[in-house]
Amino acid sequence: MSRVGIMGGTFNPPHNGHIHAARQAMAAMQFDRLLLIPDNVPPHKTMPHGSADSQQRLAMTRLMAQEIPAAEVCDIELRRGGRSYTADTLRALKRELPEAELFLIIGTDMLLTLDKWREPETLCALAGLVTVARDDDDHAALEQKAAWLKEKWNARVWIVDCPALPVSSTDVRADRALCRAMVPPAIYQYIEQQGLYF
Ligand code: ATP
Ligand code: MG
């Protein structure tokens, strides 16, 4: 059975924190494939004025994939259109890859709010949850959440033991120097060439 890691995001833009998380998850979990899935419309946040459009986010996600072993870009959420619910994406991937074991790679901020996502029971049934540190995490809170998800929906949770690389797309969009420092050169070049953000 092949092991497929799935990392969804808005990737507006992708940054070294995303790459770090994907590499750490890959090292810990030994995936055969790692799918990077840019969302179409994120359900949990509004896209700020001046954001990259979906084709630009897709192009930058392709550049990010070159930095991560075994990574490939999957545009399933862009093709589906509308709001991008992870439960819909996992159901579709399960149909496409019936033999695969699916794992969702998420930052610890996302594990802590997972029960607020649409159909959390579907997420827990269809994918293992691989959580990567995002900041100075409260480990007790994470363990408690993992135990609660396990009890309630039979979730399978892995908390990857690695240092955090605390950066966000919001930070990067607000500061050109930080963007240059925290985004791979090819993506920074693309941002400049497209006149994005600054
Ligand atoms: P924004 O600031 O626009 O919300 P973001 O930096 O949170 O963007 P997303 O594209 O929303 O990035 O995140 C996609 C996934 O990557 C989420 O699961 C998120 O938790 C995770 N992630 C983002 N940044 C990091 C980081 N620095 N370390 C670990 N995981 C991260
Ligand atoms: Mg975020």
mmCIF file of all heavy atoms in Angstrom, residues 105-149:
data_model
loop_
_atom_site.group_PDB
_atom_site.id
_atom_site.type_symbol
_atom_site.label_atom_id
_atom_site.label_comp_id
_atom_site.label_asym_id
_atom_site.label_seq_id
_atom_site.Cartn_x
_atom_site.Cartn_y
_atom_site.Cartn_z
ATOM 1 N N ILE A 105 -1.001 16.463 6.138
ATOM 2 C CA ILE A 105 0.063 17.172 6.852
ATOM 3 C C ILE A 105 -0.468 18.558 7.225
ATOM 4 O O ILE A 105 -0.874 19.326 6.345
ATOM 5 C CB ILE A 105 1.311 17.322 5.948
ATOM 6 C CG1 ILE A 105 1.783 15.951 5.477
ATOM 7 C CG2 ILE A 105 2.416 18.072 6.681
ATOM 8 C CD1 ILE A 105 2.771 16.026 4.305
ATOM 9 N N ILE A 106 -0.468 18.858 8.517
ATOM 10 C CA ILE A 106 -1.001 20.154 8.961
ATOM 11 C C ILE A 106 -0.089 20.773 10.015
ATOM 12 O O ILE A 106 0.602 20.064 10.749
ATOM 13 C CB ILE A 106 -2.425 20.007 9.563
ATOM 14 C CG1 ILE A 106 -2.475 18.898 10.605
ATOM 15 C CG2 ILE A 106 -3.455 19.789 8.478
ATOM 16 C CD1 ILE A 106 -3.836 18.706 11.255
ATOM 17 N N GLY A 107 -0.099 22.093 10.075
ATOM 18 C CA GLY A 107 0.592 22.788 11.161
ATOM 19 C C GLY A 107 -0.181 22.587 12.456
ATOM 20 O O GLY A 107 -1.379 22.270 12.441
ATOM 21 N N THR A 108 0.500 22.768 13.569
ATOM 22 C CA THR A 108 -0.156 22.531 14.865
ATOM 23 C C THR A 108 -1.339 23.481 15.083
ATOM 24 O O THR A 108 -2.306 23.113 15.750
ATOM 25 C CB THR A 108 0.868 22.686 16.008
ATOM 26 O OG1 THR A 108 1.704 23.806 15.736
ATOM 27 C CG2 THR A 108 1.743 21.464 16.119
ATOM 28 N N ASP A 109 -1.299 24.674 14.470
ATOM 29 C CA ASP A 109 -2.449 25.584 14.585
ATOM 30 C C ASP A 109 -3.712 24.932 14.024
ATOM 31 O O ASP A 109 -4.819 25.138 14.537
ATOM 32 C CB ASP A 109 -2.173 26.928 13.868
ATOM 33 C CG ASP A 109 -1.780 26.769 12.393
ATOM 34 O OD1 ASP A 109 -1.050 25.811 12.046
ATOM 35 O OD2 ASP A 109 -2.200 27.608 11.577
ATOM 36 N N MET A 110 -3.530 24.117 13.002
ATOM 37 C CA MET A 110 -4.680 23.482 12.339
ATOM 38 C C MET A 110 -5.187 22.276 13.144
ATOM 39 O O MET A 110 -6.389 22.027 13.180
ATOM 40 C CB MET A 110 -4.285 23.035 10.933
ATOM 41 C CG MET A 110 -4.004 24.177 9.991
ATOM 42 S SD MET A 110 -5.539 25.037 9.571
ATOM 43 C CE MET A 110 -4.986 26.694 9.467
ATOM 44 N N LEU A 111 -4.268 21.545 13.809
ATOM 45 C CA LEU A 111 -4.734 20.420 14.639
ATOM 46 C C LEU A 111 -5.646 20.952 15.750
ATOM 47 O O LEU A 111 -6.682 20.352 16.053
ATOM 48 C CB LEU A 111 -3.554 19.654 15.255
ATOM 49 C CG LEU A 111 -4.004 18.421 16.054
ATOM 50 C CD1 LEU A 111 -4.408 17.286 15.108
ATOM 51 C CD2 LEU A 111 -2.949 17.929 17.024
ATOM 52 N N LEU A 112 -5.247 22.080 16.322
ATOM 53 C CA LEU A 112 -5.997 22.609 17.467
ATOM 54 C C LEU A 112 -7.404 23.052 17.083
ATOM 55 O O LEU A 112 -8.284 23.124 17.939
ATOM 56 C CB LEU A 112 -5.228 23.776 18.124
ATOM 57 C CG LEU A 112 -3.909 23.364 18.797
ATOM 58 C CD1 LEU A 112 -3.135 24.584 19.272
ATOM 59 C CD2 LEU A 112 -4.165 22.415 19.969
ATOM 60 N N THR A 113 -7.630 23.336 15.787
ATOM 61 C CA THR A 113 -8.968 23.786 15.360
ATOM 62 C C THR A 113 -9.668 22.765 14.454
ATOM 63 O O THR A 113 -10.701 23.072 13.864
ATOM 64 C CB THR A 113 -8.857 25.122 14.589
ATOM 65 O OG1 THR A 113 -7.952 24.945 13.488
ATOM 66 C CG2 THR A 113 -8.319 26.239 15.465
ATOM 67 N N LEU A 114 -9.098 21.585 14.340
ATOM 68 C CA LEU A 114 -9.617 20.603 13.368
ATOM 69 C C LEU A 114 -11.100 20.251 13.590
ATOM 70 O O LEU A 114 -11.838 20.001 12.629
ATOM 71 C CB LEU A 114 -8.768 19.326 13.408
ATOM 72 C CG LEU A 114 -9.029 18.426 12.221
ATOM 73 C CD1 LEU A 114 -7.893 18.489 11.227
ATOM 74 C CD2 LEU A 114 -9.267 16.991 12.648
ATOM 75 N N ASP A 115 -11.515 20.243 14.837
ATOM 76 C CA ASP A 115 -12.911 19.893 15.108
ATOM 77 C C ASP A 115 -13.885 20.956 14.593
ATOM 78 O O ASP A 115 -15.082 20.714 14.515
ATOM 79 C CB ASP A 115 -13.128 19.641 16.606
ATOM 80 C CG ASP A 115 -12.555 20.747 17.471
ATOM 81 O OD1 ASP A 115 -11.364 21.089 17.297
ATOM 82 O OD2 ASP A 115 -13.299 21.294 18.303
ATOM 83 N N LYS A 116 -13.375 22.132 14.194
ATOM 84 C CA LYS A 116 -14.241 23.185 13.637
ATOM 85 C C LYS A 116 -14.313 23.096 12.107
ATOM 86 O O LYS A 116 -15.046 23.832 11.475
ATOM 87 C CB LYS A 116 -13.710 24.578 13.999
ATOM 88 C CG LYS A 116 -13.425 24.789 15.463
ATOM 89 C CD LYS A 116 -14.730 25.030 16.236
ATOM 90 C CE LYS A 116 -14.486 25.464 17.665
ATOM 91 N NZ LYS A 116 -13.708 24.497 18.461
ATOM 92 N N TRP A 117 -13.492 22.239 11.494
ATOM 93 C CA TRP A 117 -13.526 22.090 10.038
ATOM 94 C C TRP A 117 -14.821 21.388 9.651
ATOM 95 O O TRP A 117 -15.474 20.756 10.482
ATOM 96 C CB TRP A 117 -12.339 21.244 9.544
ATOM 97 C CG TRP A 117 -10.990 21.871 9.706
ATOM 98 C CD1 TRP A 117 -10.633 22.872 10.567
ATOM 99 C CD2 TRP A 117 -9.792 21.513 8.995
ATOM 100 N NE1 TRP A 117 -9.282 23.152 10.420
ATOM 101 C CE2 TRP A 117 -8.755 22.338 9.477
ATOM 102 C CE3 TRP A 117 -9.506 20.574 7.998
ATOM 103 C CZ2 TRP A 117 -7.442 22.243 8.989
ATOM 104 C CZ3 TRP A 117 -8.208 20.471 7.516
ATOM 105 C CH2 TRP A 117 -7.196 21.314 8.002
ATOM 106 N N ARG A 118 -15.157 21.443 8.380
ATOM 107 C CA ARG A 118 -16.333 20.724 7.912
ATOM 108 C C ARG A 118 -16.057 19.211 7.942
ATOM 109 O O ARG A 118 -14.999 18.763 7.515
ATOM 110 C CB ARG A 118 -16.684 21.157 6.492
ATOM 111 C CG ARG A 118 -17.839 20.357 5.932
ATOM 112 C CD ARG A 118 -18.254 20.848 4.593
ATOM 113 N NE ARG A 118 -19.041 22.067 4.711
ATOM 114 C CZ ARG A 118 -19.909 22.459 3.786
ATOM 115 N NH1 ARG A 118 -20.116 21.747 2.717
ATOM 116 N NH2 ARG A 118 -20.575 23.585 3.948
ATOM 117 N N GLU A 119 -16.992 18.457 8.483
ATOM 118 C CA GLU A 119 -16.926 16.994 8.557
ATOM 119 C C GLU A 119 -15.623 16.463 9.166
ATOM 120 O O GLU A 119 -14.908 15.683 8.523
ATOM 121 C CB GLU A 119 -17.061 16.383 7.152
ATOM 122 C CG GLU A 119 -18.414 16.571 6.511
ATOM 123 C CD GLU A 119 -18.469 15.860 5.168
ATOM 124 O OE1 GLU A 119 -18.279 14.631 5.118
ATOM 125 O OE2 GLU A 119 -18.690 16.555 4.144
ATOM 126 N N PRO A 120 -15.311 16.855 10.370
ATOM 127 C CA PRO A 120 -14.062 16.371 10.984
ATOM 128 C C PRO A 120 -14.008 14.840 11.076
ATOM 129 O O PRO A 120 -12.932 14.238 10.956
ATOM 130 C CB PRO A 120 -14.046 17.020 12.371
ATOM 131 C CG PRO A 120 -15.438 17.511 12.604
ATOM 132 C CD PRO A 120 -16.031 17.775 11.263
ATOM 133 N N GLU A 121 -15.196 14.215 11.214
ATOM 134 C CA GLU A 121 -15.202 12.746 11.325
ATOM 135 C C GLU A 121 -14.741 12.108 10.011
ATOM 136 O O GLU A 121 -14.076 11.068 10.018
ATOM 137 C CB GLU A 121 -16.594 12.237 11.755
ATOM 138 C CG GLU A 121 -17.736 12.435 10.748
ATOM 139 C CD GLU A 121 -18.265 13.880 10.659
ATOM 140 O OE1 GLU A 121 -17.667 14.806 11.257
ATOM 141 O OE2 GLU A 121 -19.272 14.073 9.956
ATOM 142 N N THR A 122 -15.068 12.772 8.886
ATOM 143 C CA THR A 122 -14.622 12.267 7.576
ATOM 144 C C THR A 122 -13.109 12.409 7.452
ATOM 145 O O THR A 122 -12.420 11.490 6.990
ATOM 146 C CB THR A 122 -15.319 13.054 6.437
ATOM 147 O OG1 THR A 122 -16.718 12.986 6.631
ATOM 148 C CG2 THR A 122 -14.944 12.511 5.071
ATOM 149 N N LEU A 123 -12.586 13.547 7.872
ATOM 150 C CA LEU A 123 -11.132 13.755 7.816
ATOM 151 C C LEU A 123 -10.431 12.660 8.609
ATOM 152 O O LEU A 123 -9.460 12.053 8.142
ATOM 153 C CB LEU A 123 -10.748 15.113 8.432
ATOM 154 C CG LEU A 123 -11.412 16.364 7.878
ATOM 155 C CD1 LEU A 123 -10.937 17.600 8.636
ATOM 156 C CD2 LEU A 123 -11.091 16.516 6.406
ATOM 157 N N CYS A 124 -10.920 12.409 9.816
ATOM 158 C CA CYS A 124 -10.269 11.429 10.695
ATOM 159 C C CYS A 124 -10.387 10.017 10.140
ATOM 160 O O CYS A 124 -9.489 9.193 10.318
ATOM 161 C CB CYS A 124 -10.859 11.491 12.100
ATOM 162 S SG CYS A 124 -10.542 13.048 12.938
ATOM 163 N N ALA A 125 -11.491 9.739 9.455
ATOM 164 C CA ALA A 125 -11.672 8.393 8.906
ATOM 165 C C ALA A 125 -10.798 8.172 7.675
ATOM 166 O O ALA A 125 -10.288 7.064 7.463
ATOM 167 C CB ALA A 125 -13.146 8.178 8.541
ATOM 168 N N LEU A 126 -10.614 9.199 6.872
ATOM 169 C CA LEU A 126 -9.961 8.997 5.570
ATOM 170 C C LEU A 126 -8.458 9.243 5.584
ATOM 171 O O LEU A 126 -7.756 8.816 4.666
ATOM 172 C CB LEU A 126 -10.607 9.897 4.503
ATOM 173 C CG LEU A 126 -12.058 9.579 4.157
ATOM 174 C CD1 LEU A 126 -12.538 10.467 3.020
ATOM 175 C CD2 LEU A 126 -12.230 8.107 3.782
ATOM 176 N N ALA A 127 -7.949 9.955 6.588
ATOM 177 C CA ALA A 127 -6.507 10.270 6.582
ATOM 178 C C ALA A 127 -5.929 10.269 7.989
ATOM 179 O O ALA A 127 -6.604 10.643 8.952
ATOM 180 C CB ALA A 127 -6.279 11.642 5.940
ATOM 181 N N GLY A 128 -4.669 9.848 8.084
ATOM 182 C CA GLY A 128 -3.914 10.069 9.314
ATOM 183 C C GLY A 128 -3.564 11.552 9.380
ATOM 184 O O GLY A 128 -3.457 12.215 8.346
ATOM 185 N N LEU A 129 -3.396 12.062 10.578
ATOM 186 C CA LEU A 129 -3.111 13.493 10.751
ATOM 187 C C LEU A 129 -1.669 13.659 11.212
ATOM 188 O O LEU A 129 -1.312 13.228 12.310
ATOM 189 C CB LEU A 129 -4.069 14.095 11.786
ATOM 190 C CG LEU A 129 -5.565 13.877 11.512
ATOM 191 C CD1 LEU A 129 -6.401 14.356 12.701
ATOM 192 C CD2 LEU A 129 -5.988 14.575 10.229
ATOM 193 N N VAL A 130 -0.857 14.238 10.362
ATOM 194 C CA VAL A 130 0.564 14.403 10.663
ATOM 195 C C VAL A 130 0.790 15.883 10.972
ATOM 196 O O VAL A 130 0.606 16.736 10.096
ATOM 197 C CB VAL A 130 1.426 13.944 9.473
ATOM 198 C CG1 VAL A 130 2.903 14.165 9.764
ATOM 199 C CG2 VAL A 130 1.143 12.477 9.164
ATOM 200 N N THR A 131 1.138 16.146 12.203
ATOM 201 C CA THR A 131 1.170 17.530 12.683
ATOM 202 C C THR A 131 2.606 17.996 12.863
ATOM 203 O O THR A 131 3.425 17.293 13.449
ATOM 204 C CB THR A 131 0.426 17.600 14.030
ATOM 205 O OG1 THR A 131 -0.810 16.943 13.885
ATOM 206 C CG2 THR A 131 0.201 19.016 14.448
ATOM 207 N N VAL A 132 2.898 19.173 12.326
ATOM 208 C CA VAL A 132 4.258 19.717 12.409
ATOM 209 C C VAL A 132 4.220 21.024 13.187
ATOM 210 O O VAL A 132 3.353 21.878 12.943
ATOM 211 C CB VAL A 132 4.839 19.965 11.003
ATOM 212 C CG1 VAL A 132 6.277 20.437 11.100
ATOM 213 C CG2 VAL A 132 4.764 18.690 10.164
ATOM 214 N N ALA A 133 5.176 21.186 14.095
ATOM 215 C CA ALA A 133 5.254 22.395 14.930
ATOM 216 C C ALA A 133 5.246 23.627 14.060
ATOM 217 O O ALA A 133 5.831 23.662 12.973
ATOM 218 C CB ALA A 133 6.518 22.348 15.773
ATOM 219 N N ARG A 134 4.614 24.663 14.558
ATOM 220 C CA ARG A 134 4.507 25.885 13.773
ATOM 221 C C ARG A 134 5.143 27.031 14.536
ATOM 222 O O ARG A 134 5.634 27.976 13.983
ATOM 223 C CB ARG A 134 3.021 26.123 13.540
ATOM 224 C CG ARG A 134 2.701 27.436 12.962
ATOM 225 C CD ARG A 134 1.830 27.359 11.774
ATOM 226 N NE ARG A 134 2.106 28.526 10.999
ATOM 227 C CZ ARG A 134 1.296 29.089 10.147
ATOM 228 N NH1 ARG A 134 0.143 28.544 9.895
ATOM 229 N NH2 ARG A 134 1.661 30.150 9.490
ATOM 230 N N ASP A 135 5.099 26.953 15.823
ATOM 231 C CA ASP A 135 5.561 28.039 16.685
ATOM 232 C C ASP A 135 5.963 27.404 18.006
ATOM 233 O O ASP A 135 6.084 26.202 18.087
ATOM 234 C CB ASP A 135 4.389 29.025 16.878
ATOM 235 C CG ASP A 135 4.907 30.452 16.902
ATOM 236 O OD1 ASP A 135 5.988 30.656 17.477
ATOM 237 O OD2 ASP A 135 4.242 31.340 16.351
ATOM 238 N N ASP A 136 6.107 28.229 19.024
ATOM 239 C CA ASP A 136 6.345 27.661 20.357
ATOM 240 C C ASP A 136 5.056 27.020 20.826
ATOM 241 O O ASP A 136 4.207 27.683 21.406
ATOM 242 C CB ASP A 136 6.770 28.763 21.335
ATOM 243 C CG ASP A 136 8.253 29.040 21.194
ATOM 244 O OD1 ASP A 136 8.968 28.156 20.691
ATOM 245 O OD2 ASP A 136 8.671 30.150 21.570
ATOM 246 N N ASP A 137 4.913 25.743 20.525
ATOM 247 C CA ASP A 137 3.622 25.113 20.770
ATOM 248 C C ASP A 137 3.446 24.748 22.238
ATOM 249 O O ASP A 137 4.403 24.449 22.932
ATOM 250 C CB ASP A 137 3.513 23.844 19.919
ATOM 251 C CG ASP A 137 3.418 24.172 18.446
ATOM 252 O OD1 ASP A 137 2.616 25.041 18.098
ATOM 253 O OD2 ASP A 137 4.156 23.556 17.662
ATOM 254 N N ASP A 138 2.191 24.730 22.629
ATOM 255 C CA ASP A 138 1.821 24.242 23.941
ATOM 256 C C ASP A 138 1.622 22.723 23.808
ATOM 257 O O ASP A 138 0.587 22.259 23.338
ATOM 258 C CB ASP A 138 0.517 24.951 24.364
ATOM 259 C CG ASP A 138 0.001 24.453 25.693
ATOM 260 O OD1 ASP A 138 0.469 23.401 26.177
ATOM 261 O OD2 ASP A 138 -0.884 25.127 26.245
ATOM 262 N N HIS A 139 2.651 21.961 24.199
ATOM 263 C CA HIS A 139 2.621 20.524 23.951
ATOM 264 C C HIS A 139 1.509 19.805 24.685
ATOM 265 O O HIS A 139 0.909 18.873 24.155
ATOM 266 C CB HIS A 139 3.992 19.904 24.234
ATOM 267 C CG HIS A 139 4.894 20.044 23.055
ATOM 268 N ND1 HIS A 139 4.902 19.143 22.016
ATOM 269 C CD2 HIS A 139 5.742 21.040 22.701
ATOM 270 C CE1 HIS A 139 5.740 19.561 21.083
ATOM 271 N NE2 HIS A 139 6.272 20.714 21.474
ATOM 272 N N ALA A 140 1.211 20.277 25.894
ATOM 273 C CA ALA A 140 0.124 19.652 26.656
ATOM 274 C C ALA A 140 -1.199 19.820 25.899
ATOM 275 O O ALA A 140 -1.975 18.867 25.779
ATOM 276 C CB ALA A 140 0.042 20.266 28.047
ATOM 277 N N ALA A 141 -1.416 21.014 25.352
ATOM 278 C CA ALA A 141 -2.666 21.270 24.611
ATOM 279 C C ALA A 141 -2.743 20.389 23.367
ATOM 280 O O ALA A 141 -3.813 19.863 23.030
ATOM 281 C CB ALA A 141 -2.761 22.742 24.230
ATOM 282 N N LEU A 142 -1.613 20.207 22.697
ATOM 283 C CA LEU A 142 -1.596 19.362 21.490
ATOM 284 C C LEU A 142 -1.910 17.913 21.826
ATOM 285 O O LEU A 142 -2.720 17.267 21.151
ATOM 286 C CB LEU A 142 -0.213 19.427 20.821
ATOM 287 C CG LEU A 142 0.111 20.702 20.058
ATOM 288 C CD1 LEU A 142 1.568 20.657 19.587
ATOM 289 C CD2 LEU A 142 -0.834 20.861 18.873
ATOM 290 N N GLU A 143 -1.244 17.402 22.857
ATOM 291 C CA GLU A 143 -1.476 16.007 23.264
ATOM 292 C C GLU A 143 -2.931 15.800 23.679
ATOM 293 O O GLU A 143 -3.545 14.789 23.351
ATOM 294 C CB GLU A 143 -0.546 15.617 24.432
ATOM 295 C CG GLU A 143 0.947 15.591 24.072
ATOM 296 C CD GLU A 143 1.317 14.466 23.089
ATOM 297 O OE1 GLU A 143 0.475 13.577 22.825
ATOM 298 O OE2 GLU A 143 2.460 14.504 22.584
ATOM 299 N N GLN A 144 -3.457 16.805 24.364
ATOM 300 C CA GLN A 144 -4.844 16.722 24.828
ATOM 301 C C GLN A 144 -5.795 16.688 23.628
ATOM 302 O O GLN A 144 -6.729 15.897 23.586
ATOM 303 C CB GLN A 144 -5.124 17.956 25.682
ATOM 304 C CG GLN A 144 -6.196 17.761 26.704
ATOM 305 C CD GLN A 144 -6.407 19.051 27.505
ATOM 306 O OE1 GLN A 144 -5.724 20.069 27.287
ATOM 307 N NE2 GLN A 144 -7.354 19.027 28.405
ATOM 308 N N LYS A 145 -5.527 17.536 22.651
ATOM 309 C CA LYS A 145 -6.365 17.589 21.455
ATOM 310 C C LYS A 145 -6.272 16.268 20.691
ATOM 311 O O LYS A 145 -7.283 15.734 20.224
ATOM 312 C CB LYS A 145 -5.920 18.754 20.568
ATOM 313 C CG LYS A 145 -6.857 19.053 19.443
ATOM 314 C CD LYS A 145 -8.208 19.448 19.999
ATOM 315 C CE LYS A 145 -8.900 20.443 19.153
ATOM 316 N NZ LYS A 145 -9.977 21.142 19.810
ATOM 317 N N ALA A 146 -5.053 15.750 20.557
ATOM 318 C CA ALA A 146 -4.857 14.479 19.846
ATOM 319 C C ALA A 146 -5.647 13.362 20.545
ATOM 320 O O ALA A 146 -6.333 12.565 19.889
ATOM 321 C CB ALA A 146 -3.373 14.139 19.782
ATOM 322 N N ALA A 147 -5.594 13.321 21.863
ATOM 323 C CA ALA A 147 -6.296 12.272 22.617
ATOM 324 C C ALA A 147 -7.814 12.425 22.441
ATOM 325 O O ALA A 147 -8.536 11.440 22.263
ATOM 326 C CB ALA A 147 -5.918 12.361 24.098
ATOM 327 N N TRP A 148 -8.262 13.673 22.445
ATOM 328 C CA TRP A 148 -9.701 13.954 22.287
ATOM 329 C C TRP A 148 -10.187 13.525 20.897
ATOM 330 O O TRP A 148 -11.231 12.898 20.740
ATOM 331 C CB TRP A 148 -9.920 15.454 22.530
ATOM 332 C CG TRP A 148 -11.352 15.878 22.529
ATOM 333 C CD1 TRP A 148 -12.235 15.816 23.568
ATOM 334 C CD2 TRP A 148 -12.055 16.445 21.410
ATOM 335 N NE1 TRP A 148 -13.453 16.315 23.166
ATOM 336 C CE2 TRP A 148 -13.376 16.702 21.854
ATOM 337 C CE3 TRP A 148 -11.727 16.759 20.092
ATOM 338 C CZ2 TRP A 148 -14.352 17.270 21.024
ATOM 339 C CZ3 TRP A 148 -12.690 17.314 19.262
ATOM 340 C CH2 TRP A 148 -13.989 17.559 19.738
ATOM 341 N N LEU A 149 -9.393 13.850 19.861
ATOM 342 C CA LEU A 149 -9.764 13.473 18.487
ATOM 343 C C LEU A 149 -9.783 11.955 18.333
ATOM 344 O O LEU A 149 -10.619 11.387 17.618
ATOM 345 C CB LEU A 149 -8.782 14.091 17.478
ATOM 346 C CG LEU A 149 -8.865 15.618 17.295
ATOM 347 C CD1 LEU A 149 -7.656 16.137 16.512
ATOM 348 C CD2 LEU A 149 -10.166 15.999 16.574
#
